[in-house]
Amino acid sequence: MATKIAVKAAKNICILAIKQGISLDDYKQIIARFEGAEFTLIAPNFDFANLPENDRPELWTDGARSGFLKVLTISRRMSWSSFDLVINWEQGGIENALCFMLLPKPRIITKQVILYEIGV
């Protein structure tokens, strides 16, 4: 029970979806769960169509870097942002490395956990 309360109280949230991104419907369900939170989306692209201005996330594209330099750059930006919660959407190699390298450590949950809590 305490975990659900701590997750719901998060106000600075990062959605980590570097490879495929996240669908607009999934994003809308997540923002409905966390009222008043600010979102940062790390994804190659995101369709902002049909999304009100105040619900739009800050979008970080992964840029032209590749390999370890890409992981280091993104993890440094994520650490500086001091996220309360990171939703590891794709759970691949680079996403797991980014979550491992974050300091200070935010609460990290997976796509399955967040969708289960939402009730999808």
Side-chain angles (χ1 to χ4, degrees):
M1 185 70 175
T3 302
K4 283 189 177 185
I5 293 170
V7 169
K8 185 152 179 122
K11 295 298 178 194
N12 187 12
I13 302 171
C14 175
I15 302 173
L16 190 57
I18 291 178
K19 294 177 191 145
Q20 303 296 321
I22 184 172
S23 72
L24 185 60
D25 291 335
D26 287 338
Y27 177 74
K28 284 181 178 180
Q29 289 176 336
I30 291 171
I31 64 171
R33 165 112 170 46
F34 297 98
E35 289 183 33
E38 292 185 28
F39 288 89
T40 300
L41 178 59
I42 303 176
N45 55 32
F46 184 69
D47 182 16
F48 288 105
N50 302 322
L51 195 60
E53 186 71 32
N54 58 340
D55 288 341
R56 293 182 180 187
E58 180 179 346
L59 180 63
W60 296 355
T61 58
D62 57 355
R65 294 182 174 89
S66 63
F68 182 70
L69 184 58
K70 174 181 179 175
V71 173
L72 185 62
T73 302
I74 295 172
S75 68
R76 186 172 47 209
R77 274 184 84 187
M78 288 176 71
S79 291
W80 287 340
S81 295
S82 298
F83 293 114
D84 300 328
L85 176 68
V86 174
I87 301 172
N88 188 351
W89 196 256
E90 295 173 340
Q91 303 148 39
I94 190 170
E95 292 84 6
N96 290 338
L98 287 168
C99 291
F100 177 75
M101 295 174 72
L102 286 178
L103 289 175
K105 290 282 186 212
R107 175 97 172 111
I108 300 170
I109 60 175
T110 63
K111 174 183 181 178
Q112 287 79 16
V113 170
I114 197 69
L115 293 179
Y116 173 77
E117 286 187 7
I118 292 172
V120 175

